[in-house]
Amino acid sequence: EKQNGVAIRLSGGGATLGIESAASGGADLGGTCRACLPSLNEDKLPIKLAVVAWDALTVIIHKDNQVASISREQLRAILTQEITNWKELGGDDERIIVVVRRGKTSGVGHSVRQIILDDVDADFGRSALRLNSSGPLEVFVERQPRAIAVTGYSSAHKRSVKLLGIDRHIPSTKTIASGEYPYYRPLYIAYRPGKNQAADNFVQWLLSDAGQKVIEEQQTVSLRQGAKLAKTYDHFGATNQIINYAALMQLAEQVEE
């Protein structure tokens, strides 16, 4: 708005709503942390996606919890409730309260299944607490010493929680950008090119050096910082739907040289 006088009104709702709203015209731009899903016919919607930054699925626990790191195998066992007590992880003899996003197609819900559980149809343990959005999930963990949840790094690092290490890799902009932290994922903007010039201009600005600088200032991994990740990320979906997919691959190759 400071640069061109165009105001942007923000509202929440998650990845599915972001994609659907951009397609229907209910919004000019929609944020999403997952690709369009063929199972929802989203790959046939009249939209394009722009990868604008890199994020990561981050495991959060209460800040007073003494556990510092767990393995990938332990995390899977926690989410499916094969591990149910913090004592099994070196913590106190207390029941683990697993908090998850409701629904298999929400941004975090789908990504956890796809990236962590390796099965988009997997389900969490029966007694897991299911919440509708990431905000309440993060607040619950802030307040409940026995809780554990998975959310996005871009919001988690702003909360009063502990970010749990995975195989001793603590999530940070540095470890996400390098790929050391394993659960990285892209962040997208969904929109209809040519439908609204102001929206087109905003996407191009966000991909520019100036826009990417703002992303870095928010402690989110920019496309330049996470350039190498594009080559090893396996879940882009229909790449012809991504306007800057070729540019991402080119940037990754330049980093390898």
Side-chain angles (χ1 to χ4, degrees):
E1 184 176 5
K2 291 180 180 179
Q3 291 191 6
N4 54 31
V6 177
I8 297 178
R9 186 175 64 189
L10 297 174
S11 62
T16 303
L17 182 61
I19 290 170
E20 291 177 350
S21 296
S24 68
D28 297 308
L29 303 164
T32 174
C33 55
R34 63 162 174 79
C36 293
L37 300 180
S39 62
L40 299 179
N41 291 318
E42 291 173 341
D43 57 329
K44 297 180 175 63
L45 293 174
I47 58 170
K48 294 291 185 181
L49 302 178
V51 177
V52 297
W54 288 96
D55 188 38
L57 294 172
T58 303
V59 185
I60 59 173
I61 58 177
H62 192 272
K63 62 182 180 181
D64 293 335
N65 193 318
Q66 64 181 332
V67 176
S69 181
I70 59 176
S71 70
R72 301 187 202 196
E73 292 74 19
Q74 286 174 323
L75 177 58
R76 285 192 284 266
I78 291 166
L79 293 174
T80 56
Q81 294 189 305
E82 297 167 58
I83 292 177
T84 58
N85 195 298
W86 283 109
K87 187 177 181 180
E88 299 176 72
L89 304 169
D92 295 333
D93 186 9
E94 297 278 1
R95 180 174 66 90
I96 298 173
I97 300 176
V98 179
V99 192
V100 298
R101 284 289 304 274
R102 180 176 282 113
K104 293 184 178 181
T105 60
S106 69
V108 170
H110 179 79
S111 297
V112 169
R113 290 173 171 86
Q114 185 177 62
I115 297 173
I116 296 177
L117 297 179
D118 297 319
D119 181 358
V120 296
D121 293 317
D123 209 349
F124 304 117
R126 291 181 62 185
S127 64
L129 177 61
R130 290 160 168 81
L131 299 179
N132 288 330
S133 61
S134 294
L137 176 147
E138 293 166 2
V139 170
F140 187 93
V141 176
E142 283 182 320
R143 298 173 178 174
Q144 172 51 257
R146 293 181 289 153
I148 188 169
V150 182
T151 188
Y153 175 80
S154 56
S155 60
H157 78 271
K158 299 176 182 178
R159 295 284 189 179
S160 181
V161 294
K162 178 186 283 188
L163 308 186
L164 200 59
I166 299 297
D167 293 329
R168 301 189 181 278
H169 296 298
I170 305 296
S172 67
T173 53
K174 182 179 179 180
T175 59
I176 294 169
S178 68
E180 293 175 58
Y181 183 79
Y183 300 137
Y184 51 85
R185 61 177 185 169
L187 297 179
Y188 307 86
I189 293 289
Y191 72 118
R192 298 179 66 176
K195 187 73 173 179
N196 182 306
Q197 188 61 52
D200 290 357
N201 291 344
F202 177 77
V203 172
Q204 293 306 313
W205 174 81
L206 202 52
L207 295 174
S208 72
D209 290 344
Q212 291 292 296
K213 181 181 178 182
V214 172
I215 286 172
E216 291 179 3
E217 290 171 351
Q218 296 302 309
Q219 297 182 50
T220 297
V221 178
S222 68
L223 298 182
R224 179 188 60 80
Q225 290 174 321
K228 64 183 290 184
L229 303 179
K231 277 293 188 80
T232 53
Y233 184 72
D234 296 326
H235 308 295
F236 279 117
T239 57
N240 63 336
Q241 208 166 19
I242 302 173
I243 65 163
N244 59 333
Y245 180 76
L248 291 174
M249 293 299 112
Q250 183 178 17
L251 189 59
E253 290 173 1
Q254 291 173 354
V255 171
E256 290 179 349
E257 293 177 355

